[in-house]
Structure formats: structure tokens, C-alpha cells
Amino acid sequence: MSAPAITARQDARSRAPSPRPITIALLGLGQIGSAVARCASLSAGSAQPVRVACALVRDPSRDRADVPAIPLITDPRAIFALRPDAIVEALGGLEPARALVTDALERGVPVVTANKALLARHGEALLAIAVRTGTPLRYEASVLSGVPFLGAFAARPFVSITGITGIVNGTSNFILGRMGDGESLADAIAEAQRLGIAEPDPADDVSGRDAAHKLAVLAWHFGLGAFSPDAIETTGIASLEAGDLGCAGKLGGLIKPIAAVRRAADRATAFVGPAFVPLTHKLAPLGGVDNGVLLDTPGGRLSFTGPGAGPFATATTMLDDVVEAVRGGQPPPRHTPPPAGVAPPSTAWFVRLRGSELPRGDEVAEFLGSHGVWIRHAASCGQRRCLVTYAASRGRVETALGALALATGVEWLALRTLED
Ligand SMILES: NC(=O)c1ccc[n+]([C@@H]2O[C@H](COP(=O)([O-])OP(=O)(O)OC[C@H]3O[C@@H](n4cnc5c(N)ncnc54)[C@H](OP(=O)(O)O)[C@@H]3O)[C@@H](O)[C@H]2O)c1
């Protein structure tokens, strides 16, 4: 007797109107734009279909066999005539992305972007336009693109974030992981390129520039400070050798690509660069291309980990942003007043000394101590001696090591050290 009732409910469901598709205009049809187009084409018949009205490209004659058929345009003025529900910016770079995002927000068209370079330099100004015009601007995929966590805090103004420490560049995490296994920097980069993890030109990842952009976005988003990525102390990974990572292992740690920012009394402190991470630290287990961010709050440390890049992860996060922007509007910005500037922090240091005739450990300790740098642990590995110091400023450490090099002929490398 119950079978006809079930059939009736199924009939009612199949007659339910499907939701109106959200129409987007794509700016850019490269790695990310193409993935957004592919994911959107699979959304037909889903709980929220998304239709791509057009894609702005530079060169319409390029082969795009792997992308669903979409009208391609080269004149940005054609975008708004199509009356899209939202703009998805996947051009990269500063211009014309900044001008087009500004235009959309001024016209009241919601914008979704994953462009950390744009947000690091113009995010505050763009958000001000979004707030003034009441138009959503969403950028969840700009940092840890596969781990939606930025938006989770927008509606939680009572969660106060006092510091952020993270691995925000998967390419350099992969490269340092390979070097930890004994591969040279050049071989590790070549391997990352072969696997599609590194760009043909990996300069932004290797130099730390990409991580500095993301750290500037995080600092600004969480109210720790609004400053240019150029103001952040940024060190690349190019000066490291596999032997340095092996030596770090003898001191109970790993070398990881770290980005960190903290709120101090009148300014923020921040750095980006390879750092010694004790094996007991929460970021130590993150290997391969994985990313992770630790948020310090008065109530404890929150952690978010997962894929930080990749076309599919980025595209799905952007499409979720589209749905939230069109349905939910703009979340209120966090109201913590930004500190006035940014400076490097005072941290402990991992120091590697190298030379054919290394001075004895007690001589090194006495020499560095006479310059105000105190050693906590030390270990020897072949022609290298490594040590971890107590906290000191970069200036003090570099002056002490420069004097040691002059006196003994050793070569040195100094990296910041994370505390547990
Ligand atoms: N790749 C990732 O895993 C990832 C992850 C998170 C965030 N992102 C961000 O996503 C954005 C896009 O990255 P992507 O890797 O997709 O870049 P991409 O492959 O270089 O694609 C850029 C696209 O923009 C178009 N374009 C560039 N300048 C243009 C101009 N002046 N006028 C018209 N079209 C223009 C290009 O047109 P043509 O096709 O004609 O050359 C291309 O379709 C960047 O902001 C990046 O930081 C990327």
C-alpha cells in the first residue's frame, strides 16, 4: 500500500523547478579559468547550476580543445552588456585585473577572484569600494585555495586573531621536501616542473614573492596590518643546499618555507622564508605540496591544512564563492584597526657554518657570545656545523657571523627558527 505514496513524492520532486542558473563572465581562460569553465559545465542539473556567458582572453586563436565551448571576447566592454550575475577574475597580475574588478564593483556586479598579487596591493581599496557599493567581493581561493577558511571568520567578529604562521606555497614545500631527501635544488625544481607543480618560470615561488603576497592578504584580511608585500622581510630558498637540510635533521628539525605575521603593540612583525621547524611543531608533518595555516587566538591555536593550489581545488572554491556572493551578499569586514607598519621579528636562528677547517664548537660559542648571540644546541655533520641560537635580531646575528667569517674563513647561512 505504501508504494504509490513513494511514487507520488518522487513525481512531485521531479516536477520541482530546477534553480535558475547563475550566469558568470570569466576574465581569463588559462589554468584556473579553464577549470572554472569545466566545473561549471558539469553543474547543469545540480543543486545550483552555473552558466559561463563569455570568457575574456588575450588571444582567441589559441587552441582550447580541453575547454567547453564558450563565447570568447577580447574587448572588456562586452562583458557587462551580457548582464552577468557575477564576474570571476582569473587573469592574474595587476592590470587590467584591477581596473576590471573596480568597474564591476562600481556597477554592482559581484566579483570572485583568486588573484593574491592584486589583493596584496589593492585589496583594501577594492574592499572599500565593495562596502560602499554594497557589492560582494570574494577571494577565498587567493590563499590555501583548496581550504575554505577565510570566509569562516567573516561572520565571527569576536574571534580575535593575534598571529598567523603557515606554509602557503606548496611548490617550495615540495622542493624543500625533496632536498631533505638529498636531491639538489636544481633537480628538485626540475622534478616539480615535470609533475606540473612548478611553473616553467618558478621565480615567484622560489624567491618567496608568492608567499609574501599571500601573507599580506592574510594580514590585511585578519586585521593584523595593511602593508605592501614589499615591506615584508622575504628570503628565497635558492641559497639552500641539500646538506643544510640534512644538518637541520641532526638538530631535530626540518627546513620549511614559512610565512608568519604577528600583531605587536604599535606595528606588525612578519617574515617569509625558509625556517628551521622543530619536528614537534604542528607544521612539521606537512609534506609534498600541502599547505597549512595556524591562527593564534586568545583561546588557543586553530589549524587549517590541505591543498593550497591546483586548478580543480581553486575552481571549486571560486564557484562556491560565486554562489555565496550571488545568494548571500558581502560579509561585513573585520574591524580590528591595522597597526601602523611592519618590521622583522626577533626570533631564534638556525645557523649553518661550512668550511674545510671549522673552528671548535667552544670557540664558536665564545666568539658568538662575545657578540651577544647565544647558542642553544649544536651538531656537526661533515664539513658543516649547525647550531640553534636563542632569540636575537637579524642585525645582531649577521654582524656576529660576518665577524666570525672574517676571523676564521667559514661560510655561513642563517635561517629563522620557529618555536613550538
Ligand atoms: N594556478 C593555480 O593553481 C592557482 C591557484 C590559486 C590562485 N591562482 C591565481 O589564479 C589567477 C590565474 O592564474 P592562471 O594560472 O590561470 O593564469 P594563466 O594560465 O596565465 O591564465 C591567464 C588567463 O588570462 C588571460 N589574460 C591575461 N592577460 C590578459 C589581458 N590583458 N587581456 C585579456 N586576457 C588576458 C589569458 O589569455 P590567453 O589565454 O589568451 O593567453 C589567460 O587565459 C592568478 O591570479 C593566480 O595567482 C592560481
Side-chain angles (χ1 to χ4, degrees):
M1 289 297 282
S2 58
I6 291 170
T7 308
R9 274 204 299 276
Q10 282 171 336
D11 280 355
R13 222 179 289 150
S14 62
R15 282 198 305 273
S18 50
R20 182 181 81 81
I22 292 175
T23 300
I24 59 171
L26 263 176
L27 309 187
L29 198 57
Q31 277 198 75
I32 300 304
S34 302
V36 170
R38 280 193 293 273
C39 290
S41 73
L42 298 175
S43 73
S46 74
Q48 181 52 74
V50 175
R51 191 179 71 82
V52 182
C54 67
L56 177 74
V57 297
R58 210 168 8 201
D59 176 9
S61 67
R62 242 177 81 176
D63 176 25
R64 300 179 201 270
D66 57 339
V67 186
I70 299 167
L72 301 182
I73 58 170
T74 52
D75 182 350
R77 286 171 301 188
I79 297 166
F80 299 104
L82 294 165
R83 305 180 72 80
D85 295 313
I87 297 288
V88 173
E89 187 274 308
L91 297 166
L94 297 184
E95 295 292 352
R98 187 203 57 81
L100 293 174
V101 167
T102 303
D103 194 9
L105 293 173
E106 292 287 4
R107 290 168 184 258
V109 180
V111 173
V112 171
T113 179
N115 187 338
K116 55 253 169 185
L118 174 70
L119 292 163
R121 294 191 192 275
H122 301 294
E124 249 204 316
L126 293 172
L127 192 61
I129 301 173
V131 170
R132 173 168 57 73
T133 60
T135 310
L137 167 65
R138 300 234 172 201
Y139 47 88
E140 185 66 64
S142 60
V143 185
L144 267 67
S145 62
V147 186
F149 75 107
L150 296 181
F153 292 91
R156 298 191 171 274
F158 288 99
V159 180
S160 159
I161 311 291
T162 54
I164 302 172
T165 311
I167 293 175
V168 296
N169 183 276
T171 306
S172 47
N173 198 29
F174 174 89
I175 292 169
L176 290 182
R178 288 298 167 119
M179 291 174 70
D181 295 337
E183 250 176 51
S184 70
L185 175 74
D187 286 350
I189 291 176
E191 173 79 345
Q193 286 168 325
R194 197 180 61 72
L195 295 171
I197 293 165
E199 299 282 330
D201 175 3
D204 273 4
D205 299 319
V206 170
S207 68
R209 201 161 36 236
D210 174 80
H213 284 148
K214 290 170 177 166
L215 191 65
V217 174
L218 287 173
W220 156 73
H221 177 82
F222 286 109
L224 295 170
F227 39 78
S228 159
D230 303 335
I232 301 172
E233 175 194 284
T234 302
T235 313
I237 60 173
S239 55
L240 287 167
E241 293 173 4
D244 302 335
L245 282 85
C247 224
K250 287 214 163 187
L251 286 172
L254 299 161
I255 305 295
K256 292 276 180 195
I258 298 298
V261 60
R262 200 152 302 285
R263 186 162 55 209
D266 58 345
R267 60 183 180 177
T269 62
F271 78 91
V272 165
F276 178 86
V277 177
L279 286 173
T280 47
H281 194 279
K282 275 191 169 165
L283 294 175
L286 284 188
V289 292
D290 272 354
N291 284 19
V293 161
L294 308 176
L295 303 179
D296 291 327
T297 75
R301 199 165 236 198
L302 313 177
S303 58
F304 298 86
T305 59
F312 182 74
T314 307
T316 49
T317 300
M318 292 183 91
L319 284 172
D320 281 337
D321 260 2
V322 165
V323 175
E324 285 189 11
V326 171
R327 283 190 187 157
Q330 175 68 13
R334 297 175 67 82
H335 287 297
T336 322
V342 63
S346 176
T347 60
W349 293 82
F350 167 85
V351 174
R352 182 270 285 149
L353 305 175
R354 188 176 51 188
S356 50
E357 286 184 37
L358 285 170
R360 288 199 325 264
D362 58 333
E363 289 170 346
V364 172
E366 193 180 331
F367 189 95
L368 295 182
S370 72
H371 286 75
V373 174
W374 305 100
I375 296 175
R376 200 191 277 179
H377 312 290
S380 290
C381 25
Q383 292 195 329
R384 288 175 164 81
R385 177 163 297 130
C386 293
L387 34 112
V388 172
T389 73
Y390 286 94
S393 69
R394 173 180 283 279
R396 183 176 291 248
V397 169
E398 289 187 349
T399 304
L401 290 171
L404 182 70
L406 263 182
T408 64
V410 293
E411 288 173 43
W412 59 269
L413 172 83
L415 306 177
R416 292 191 178 275
T417 293
L418 290 190
E419 306 286 335
D420 277 332

